[in-house]
Amino acid sequence: MKKIINDPKRVVDESVAGFGLAHADIVRVEFDPIHVVRADAPISGKVGIVSGGGSGHEPLHAGYVGFGMLDAAVPGAVFTSPTPDPIVAATKAVDGGAGVLHIVKNYTGDVLNFETAADLAAADGIEVRAVITNDDVAVKDSLYTAGRRGVAGTVLVEKIAGAAAERGDSLDAVVAVAERVNANARSMGLALTPCIVPHAGEPSFTLAEDEIEIGIGIHGEPGRERVKLEPADRLVDRLLEPILDDLPYERGERALLFVNGMGGTPQVELYLAYRRAAEVLEERGIQITRSLVGNFITALEMQGMSITLLKLDDEMVELWDAPVQTAALRWGR
Amino acid sequence: MKKIINDPKRVVDESVAGFGLAHADIVRVEFDPIHVVRADAPISGKVGIVSGGGSGHEPLHAGYVGFGMLDAAVPGAVFTSPTPDPIVAATKAVDGGAGVLHIVKNYTGDVLNFETAADLAAADGIEVRAVITNDDVAVKDSLYTAGRRGVAGTVLVEKIAGAAAERGDSLDAVVAVAERVNANARSMGLALTPCIVPHAGEPSFTLAEDEIEIGIGIHGEPGRERVKLEPADRLVDRLLEPILDDLPYERGERALLFVNGMGGTPQVELYLAYRRAAEVLEERGIQITRSLVGNFITALEMQGMSITLLKLDDEMVELWDAPVQTAALRWGR
Amino acid sequence: MGLDITWAVDWVRRSAQVISEHRVELITLDREIGDGDHGENMDRGFQAVLPKLDDLAAGSTPGDVLKLVATTLISTVGGAAGPLYGTAYLKAAAAAGSAVSLDGPAIAAILTAARDGVVARGKAETGDKTMIDALTPAVDAADAAAAAGVDAAGVFAAAADAAEAGALATEPLVARKGRASYLGERSAGHRDPGAESSALLLRAAADAAAASAGA
Amino acid sequence: MGLDITWAVDWVRRSAQVISEHRVELITLDREIGDGDHGENMDRGFQAVLPKLDDLAAGSTPGDVLKLVATTLISTVGGAAGPLYGTAYLKAAAAAGSAVSLDGPAIAAILTAARDGVVARGKAETGDKTMIDALTPAVDAADAAAAAGVDAAGVFAAAADAAEAGALATEPLVARKGRASYLGERSAGHRDPGAESSALLLRAAADAAAASAGA
Ligand SMILES: Nc1ncnc2c1ncn2[C@@H]1O[C@H](COP(=O)(O)OP(=O)(O)O)[C@@H](O)[C@H]1O
Ligand SMILES: Nc1ncnc2c1ncn2[C@@H]1O[C@H](COP(=O)(O)OP(=O)(O)O)[C@@H](O)[C@H]1O
Ligand SMILES: [Mg+2]
Ligand SMILES: [Mg+2]
Ligand SMILES: [Mg+2]
Ligand SMILES: [Mg+2]
């Protein structure tokens, strides 16, 4: 295992400490229990937004703490949901009296820990609502399963809900728009290489030189299918097909196209993939009116990408364009 | 070789095409010959700034085209300086009558091709000046060598010179501040893994599981020294030592600390390294008043990092803070 | 002979020991069909319990120990296992009440409460390839043993045997809950890490009970 | 017998052929001490020249062909090799002038002009581990052969032999120019890719000259 780390057990603490030092103008880092909050939190009268989850997906979530997006992020151990304590602490730290929204990716651990935290915060008189993101079409959804994973669509939910909260929307309204974004986002990913969790010390899976995993998540887990490496255009088609099957578009409908790197894939490949995705969508008459390309939700150093398509409405566009000032996403101020 | 590409010979064209589609609000892409210009170029009365070089270092340089930074970028083949033609075309495209600055990383190929282009542009009546960046302390400088490489300091030069041009500085003034930034920037890098140039199809070098290269550049070339992998803090110290030896600081002097990922290293490691660097600099009484952490100048999917320290003065701080709106660096608008 | 506070503390120590010994194995199982952290998470949790054992007030009951394990796991493990095991120990503690000594039927009741707690929180059914597939056979075996008048140590021994068999039997299953469910059919052919850790913890309980019975 | 337009065109075709055949070898040499693109760059350049040969006007001279190679390499190769070889061919074209046939002394003069052009642009000295270490021995050998009255084909043969020896002799050198210089002492033990491509191009010239002499 080759990593720029000291002790595997101190990776998250040390990294979050560095994050806090590098972005002291935007965030404040608390260590006991660990959470990252907006430098100006709590903001009186504003709905607070807290997200969190296992570490290793950076810039998610701490990179999205700041004006117009999250009020706090709670980093767990690598690929491990945080425990309730820091979630409660973060919830209290951002409570401005208008209630707090938890944005939770749909994993058993995340859902359960956030649930417990919400109960504890509610016991302290804070109104907490949760939106569970589950945009990953690689996973078959059913009443009898854990359901779809929350993956890259989560970033879009956080941006748009964050903008709604920032403009003063009520908790109900912020929940509604967050749920609408989640309901209109679909994602699918693939991996060229595995990743290595620091405490595990070994690759999460092994692949032959000409094999890739289709339908991976963001935890270095194997995907649903192993196939031979193919040209980029074909790979993009493989990701787009299930996305468009799952949420069909009428010609002329607008979308945000998000090509996300899994951490170890160079930008040159992401933009190359973007080109093909834009081409396919244009053929289908879908209007790409907003775009996002880069490493926004990752699985450590995994090589691979995911594609997310978000069906846009006017309000989503307005909230997407609204100013945001975080370490990883910034415009308008 | 596992990459999300189609034909190795079309990697740059297809990727730049995707870049142009994703950022049509900021840039315009021309293909014959290939170059990327600000959507609103040329800007009458403003000094134009053109940079360029081999591809594979993304977001450098196209990611820095836009308000407050570059007016054009000229991408060559992967790790290969562009030829003069597209540099001339870019220079003409951004000439607003106030002259054009070429920001060139110090590599024989880049310097020679930009020189030829400058001669050709001058023959067409455009006043062209060049600033050659050479911030890499891993390379011994001397009259008899090719001199130091231009590496991550180039990003800082482009941002600060871009802000100077945007506020209306003359060509002389923009050249002066660009040279001052370069003179005050020092960088040093290391690699944990090699990278694979698409047309080469094989890793640029091989390293044992416990070996790293110290003093690498941004072209997948081996470094000056091969050492055993050590804890992150020690690695950071190894990079900072030659930087501080080469340009000593008085206690109380201000610096911008830039921890750059080589492309394949996850953010969690970069911030962990940042923490140690900040600690060391604080011990030495150096004030880190500005920071940059992330993949800003890369060597494809190489795992590794570089550290750059820029000694700041008031004007540099003001220009660093000035608004910038590019695909990869954005704030203030 | 019932199981008392000494047994409870010994169980926790043995649990920490056995989880630590099987840390890598649990990580490997989880890497194959999950995200490779189960061993690390459980180890972090039980290592955190150990120092707290020294702070137990005089006169603490087995229920107090179970409660201590519950709160510590909840606040240190995270992931799915943290809340699920946390709930299990919490419900077990409630079932143990303030009894100073636990007999066979009490053990069976405790295990039932623990399992029911996990089901209530995680909604997994038998055959979903989760820790439930170790816990439910364990509960059934404990019930049968207790009904047959076997002593507390014997009840745990029966539970541990059944849990081990149950964990083994998760191998051919296709997961429908937890991360392994994302793999669909590909989850078959691997043992569920949570079922394995459940079996390990029950074996530690049985060993502690045997040691305390022998003492 | 002097070397005419037929030879010049044949040289270019053979150059493209030999560079394409050694593309991977040049990439490998460059990967070891540079950035692994020399073979790709040169191949791109010479492949771009080939179609342009068909457009040469009737009555073109060897100098016209050299000029065509120069401008094409400059506009397609990039990197260090593009401008350096571009300059070499440009200076060679100037030295060739409008001569329709080149004799031994003319070839020696052309090679000298080419080498001097590279030195003027790249500032490399002998022993810096660059293409100069193939070109300078080639120029010296060509001068000597021409002075001894050897014909044009023989002058190229002498130049090619010397260039090959020169390229081989770059192996122990520590680079002081080009990317290999960044490696410092570690550049020793590897052949310089640009010196190797220079030797290949001169061998192609000699082969074309021998073929035209034989024809
Ligand atoms: N819904 C559930 N009900 C019961 N047990 C579950 C459920 N989901 C997961 N588990 C158990 O949790 C184990 C995984 O725990 P762990 O790896 O620590 O958490 P995570 O899946 O969050 O990484 C699985 O092996 C399974 O036994
Ligand atoms: N200053 C110089 N003078 C002469 N030749 C040089 C000089 N710098 C580099 N070269 C030659 O160029 C070759 C490398 O060419 P190439 O790999 O195509 O360009 P780059 O170094 O830009 O990747 C070297 O092997 C060397 O022979
Ligand atoms: Mg986990
Ligand atoms: Mg090159
Ligand atoms: Mg797990
Ligand atoms: Mg090269």
Side-chain angles (χ1 to χ4, degrees):
Chain A
M1 174 178 62
K2 264 185 184 174
K3 290 183 183 289
I4 303 173
I5 61 173
N6 296 301
D7 175 352
K9 293 204 192 294
R10 276 168 30 218
V11 165
V12 174
D13 278 4
E14 291 181 354
S15 183
V16 173
F19 182 84
L21 292 170
H23 303 292
D25 51 331
I26 298 179
V27 302
R28 195 171 72 227
V29 174
E30 302 290 343
F31 284 98
D32 193 18
I34 194 168
H35 58 288
V36 177
V37 295
R38 254 173 88 157
D40 54 355
I43 298 159
S44 176
K46 186 183 103 57
V47 169
I49 307 189
V50 175
S51 191
S55 292
H57 309 302
E58 290 70 24
L60 193 83
H61 296 274
Y64 303 128
V65 173
F67 181 93
M69 210 160 166
L70 301 180
D71 293 271
V74 187
V78 173
F79 292 172
T80 301
S81 159
T83 61
D85 299 358
I87 305 173
V88 171
T91 304
K92 289 184 182 173
V94 308
D95 174 35
V100 174
L101 168 64
H102 286 177
I103 298 178
V104 185
K105 302 188 296 303
N106 188 35
Y107 301 96
T108 308
D110 293 77
V111 171
L112 294 178
N113 284 289
F114 270 90
E115 253 173 37
T116 304
D119 288 349
L120 293 170
D124 278 345
I126 303 178
E127 190 184 356
V128 179
R129 302 275 292 280
V131 169
I132 313 286
T133 63
N134 62 347
D135 52 309
D136 186 358
V137 297
V139 173
K140 293 217 172 59
D141 200 4
S142 113
L143 258 184
Y144 308 101
T145 64
R148 286 180 167 170
R149 296 176 285 217
V151 288
T154 311
V155 177
L156 311 182
V157 173
E158 293 180 359
K159 166 65 182 87
I160 292 175
E166 199 68 59
R167 75 176 174 190
D169 281 14
S170 68
L171 183 55
D172 279 349
V174 176
V175 167
V177 77
E179 282 177 344
R180 204 162 82 244
V181 174
N182 181 58
N184 283 283
R186 294 292 185 281
S187 301
M188 175 94 176
L190 62 82
L192 273 57
T193 63
C195 59
I196 300 184
V197 178
H199 64 246
E202 277 184 63
S204 52
F205 51 82
T206 50
L207 279 175
E209 187 42 43
D210 63 343
E211 283 176 346
I212 63 169
E213 289 275 342
I214 301 273
I216 50 122
I218 54 171
H219 295 88
E221 65 270 53
R224 288 194 81 86
E225 207 188 341
R226 183 166 292 194
V227 303
K228 295 280 170 203
L229 180 62
E230 298 172 310
D233 287 359
R234 177 73 195 109
L235 295 177
V236 168
D237 294 355
R238 270 189 189 273
L239 298 187
L240 278 177
E241 268 162 43
I243 287 172
L244 293 169
D245 282 353
D246 201 80
L247 185 69
Y249 280 66
E250 305 282 324
R251 293 190 81 84
E253 280 190 298
R254 289 167 298 166
L256 182 156
L257 171 57
F258 174 16
V259 175
N260 176 60
M262 300 308 298
T265 284
Q267 251 192 33
V268 75
E269 298 177 31
L270 299 180
Y271 280 111
L272 193 148
Y274 181 95
R275 191 202 63 80
R276 171 62 181 172
E279 183 175 72
V280 170
L281 297 172
E282 191 184 329
E283 278 164 17
R284 299 221 186 190
I286 301 171
Q287 288 185 52
I288 305 302
T289 57
R290 294 294 180 276
S291 299
L292 190 65
V293 184
N295 290 322
F296 290 98
I297 168 170
T298 62
L300 293 171
E301 69 282 356
M302 179 180 269
Q303 289 183 5
M305 65 170 172
S306 65
I307 295 183
T308 300
L309 209 60
L310 170 64
K311 194 176 283 195
L312 290 168
D313 58 35
D314 287 341
E315 192 191 22
M316 287 189 217
V317 172
E318 186 188 321
L319 292 169
W320 178 257
D321 289 345
V324 59
Q325 181 176 354
T326 69
L329 212 62
R330 185 164 176 179
W331 56 72
R333 57 180 269 156
Chain B
M1 175 178 61
K2 265 185 182 174
K3 290 182 183 289
I4 304 173
I5 61 172
N6 296 301
D7 175 353
K9 292 201 191 296
R10 277 167 32 217
V11 165
V12 174
D13 278 4
E14 290 181 354
S15 183
V16 173
F19 182 84
L21 292 169
H23 303 292
D25 52 330
I26 298 180
V27 303
R28 195 170 73 227
V29 174
E30 302 290 344
F31 284 98
D32 193 19
I34 193 167
H35 59 287
V36 177
V37 294
R38 255 174 89 157
D40 55 354
I43 298 160
S44 176
K46 187 184 102 59
V47 169
I49 306 189
V50 176
S51 190
S55 293
H57 309 302
E58 290 69 23
L60 194 84
H61 297 275
Y64 302 128
V65 173
F67 181 93
M69 210 161 165
L70 301 180
D71 293 87
V74 188
V78 173
F79 293 170
T80 301
S81 159
T83 61
D85 299 358
I87 305 173
V88 172
T91 304
K92 289 183 181 172
V94 307
D95 173 35
V100 175
L101 168 64
H102 287 177
I103 297 178
V104 185
K105 302 188 296 303
N106 187 35
Y107 300 96
T108 308
D110 293 77
V111 171
L112 294 178
N113 285 288
F114 270 90
E115 252 173 40
T116 304
D119 288 350
L120 293 168
D124 278 345
I126 303 177
E127 191 184 354
V128 179
R129 301 275 291 280
V131 168
I132 313 286
T133 63
N134 62 347
D135 52 311
D136 186 356
V137 297
V139 173
K140 294 219 172 59
D141 200 5
S142 111
L143 256 184
Y144 307 101
T145 65
R148 287 181 166 169
R149 296 175 285 217
V151 288
T154 311
V155 177
L156 311 182
V157 173
E158 293 181 359
K159 166 66 182 85
I160 292 175
E166 199 70 59
R167 75 175 175 191
D169 281 14
S170 69
L171 183 55
D172 278 348
V174 176
V175 167
V177 78
E179 282 178 344
R180 205 162 80 243
V181 174
N182 180 59
N184 283 285
R186 295 291 185 282
S187 302
M188 175 95 177
L190 63 83
L192 273 57
T193 63
C195 59
I196 301 184
V197 177
H199 64 245
E202 277 183 64
S204 52
F205 50 83
T206 50
L207 278 175
E209 186 43 41
D210 64 342
E211 282 176 346
I212 63 170
E213 290 273 343
I214 301 272
I216 50 124
I218 53 171
H219 295 88
E221 64 270 54
R224 288 194 80 88
E225 205 187 343
R226 182 166 292 195
V227 302
K228 295 281 171 201
L229 180 62
E230 297 172 311
D233 287 359
R234 176 73 195 109
L235 295 177
V236 168
D237 294 353
R238 270 191 188 271
L239 299 187
L240 278 177
E241 268 163 41
I243 287 172
L244 293 169
D245 282 354
D246 201 79
L247 184 69
Y249 279 67
E250 305 282 325
R251 293 190 82 83
E253 281 190 297
R254 288 168 298 166
L256 183 156
L257 171 57
F258 175 16
V259 175
N260 176 61
M262 300 308 298
T265 285
Q267 252 192 32
V268 75
E269 298 177 30
L270 299 180
Y271 280 111
L272 193 148
Y274 181 94
R275 191 202 62 81
R276 172 63 181 172
E279 183 175 72
V280 171
L281 297 173
E282 193 186 328
E283 278 164 16
R284 298 220 185 192
I286 302 171
Q287 287 185 53
I288 305 302
T289 56
R290 294 294 180 277
S291 299
L292 190 65
V293 184
N295 290 321
F296 290 98
I297 168 169
T298 61
L300 293 171
E301 69 282 356
M302 179 180 270
Q303 288 183 5
M305 64 170 173
S306 64
I307 295 183
T308 301
L309 209 59
L310 169 64
K311 193 176 283 196
L312 291 168
D313 58 36
D314 287 341
E315 192 190 21
M316 287 189 216
V317 172
E318 185 188 322
L319 292 169
W320 178 257
D321 289 345
V324 59
Q325 182 176 354
T326 70
L329 211 62
R330 185 164 176 180
W331 55 73
R333 57 180 269 156
Chain C
M1 209 190 70
L3 297 172
D4 60 6
I5 178 71
T6 310
W7 161 81
V9 169
D10 188 34
W11 179 22
V12 176
R13 291 198 202 283
R14 287 175 188 262
S15 297
Q17 173 79 19
V18 77
I19 290 291
S20 160
E21 281 165 14
H22 290 77
R23 179 179 159 276
V24 172
E25 181 193 333
L26 294 172
I27 285 176
T28 304
L29 289 178
D30 195 30
R31 208 173 50 224
E32 282 163 0
I33 55 171
D35 59 351
D37 59 0
H38 187 59
E40 180 74 11
N41 296 346
M42 295 297 288
D43 189 39
R44 184 173 54 243
F46 275 98
Q47 292 304 320
V49 186
L50 287 181
K52 297 193 183 171
L53 291 175
D54 304 331
D55 301 339
L56 277 172
S60 292
T61 61
D64 293 330
V65 173
L66 293 169
K67 178 108 188 280
L68 179 69
V69 173
T71 54
T72 308
L73 295 188
I74 289 171
S75 69
T76 58
V77 174
L84 292 173
Y85 274 120
T87 298
Y89 281 92
L90 214 51
K91 298 296 179 187
S98 55
V100 295
S101 173
L102 305 168
D103 59 11
I107 295 301
I110 283 170
L111 290 177
T112 304
R115 189 271 317 268
D116 291 352
V118 174
V119 170
R121 286 226 67 184
K123 314 264 174 341
E125 295 174 10
T126 300
D128 281 358
K129 195 173 184 123
T130 69
M131 59 175 73
I132 290 302
D133 295 320
L135 294 178
T136 289
V139 166
D140 293 346
D143 278 345
V150 175
D151 72 354
V155 169
F156 261 127
D161 289 348
E164 278 167 9
L168 200 66
T170 62
E171 291 187 2
L173 299 176
V174 173
R176 280 190 301 259
K177 282 287 187 306
R179 285 175 197 286
S181 68
Y182 307 140
L183 269 69
E185 303 291 330
R186 292 176 79 187
S187 62
H190 300 274
R191 191 177 312 178
D192 178 63
E196 181 69 11
S197 60
S198 289
L200 291 171
L201 294 172
L202 286 172
R203 177 60 63 201
D207 288 351
S212 109
Chain D
M1 207 191 70
L3 297 172
D4 60 7
I5 178 72
T6 310
W7 160 80
V9 169
D10 188 33
W11 179 22
V12 175
R13 292 197 201 284
R14 287 175 187 262
S15 297
Q17 172 78 19
V18 76
I19 290 292
S20 161
E21 281 165 13
H22 289 78
R23 179 180 160 277
V24 173
E25 181 193 332
L26 293 172
I27 285 176
T28 304
L29 288 178
D30 195 29
R31 208 173 52 225
E32 282 164 1
I33 55 171
D35 59 351
D37 60 359
H38 188 58
E40 180 74 12
N41 296 347
M42 295 298 288
D43 189 40
R44 184 172 56 243
F46 274 98
Q47 292 303 320
V49 185
L50 287 182
K52 298 193 182 170
L53 291 174
D54 303 330
D55 301 339
L56 277 172
S60 291
T61 61
D64 293 330
V65 173
L66 293 169
K67 179 107 189 281
L68 179 69
V69 173
T71 54
T72 308
L73 295 187
I74 289 171
S75 69
T76 58
V77 174
L84 292 173
Y85 274 119
T87 298
Y89 281 92
L90 214 51
K91 297 296 178 187
S98 54
V100 294
S101 173
L102 306 168
D103 59 12
I107 295 301
I110 283 170
L111 290 178
T112 304
R115 190 269 319 267
D116 290 352
V118 174
V119 170
R121 286 226 68 184
K123 313 267 175 337
E125 295 175 9
T126 301
D128 281 357
K129 194 172 185 124
T130 70
M131 58 175 75
I132 291 302
D133 294 319
L135 294 177
T136 289
V139 166
D140 292 345
D143 277 347
V150 175
D151 72 356
V155 169
F156 261 127
D161 289 347
E164 279 166 10
L168 200 66
T170 62
E171 291 187 2
L173 298 176
V174 172
R176 278 190 302 260
K177 282 286 188 306
R179 286 175 196 286
S181 67
Y182 308 139
L183 269 70
E185 302 292 330
R186 292 176 79 187
S187 62
H190 300 273
R191 191 177 312 179
D192 178 63
E196 181 69 12
S197 60
S198 288
L200 291 171
L201 294 172
L202 286 172
R203 177 60 64 201
D207 289 350
S212 109

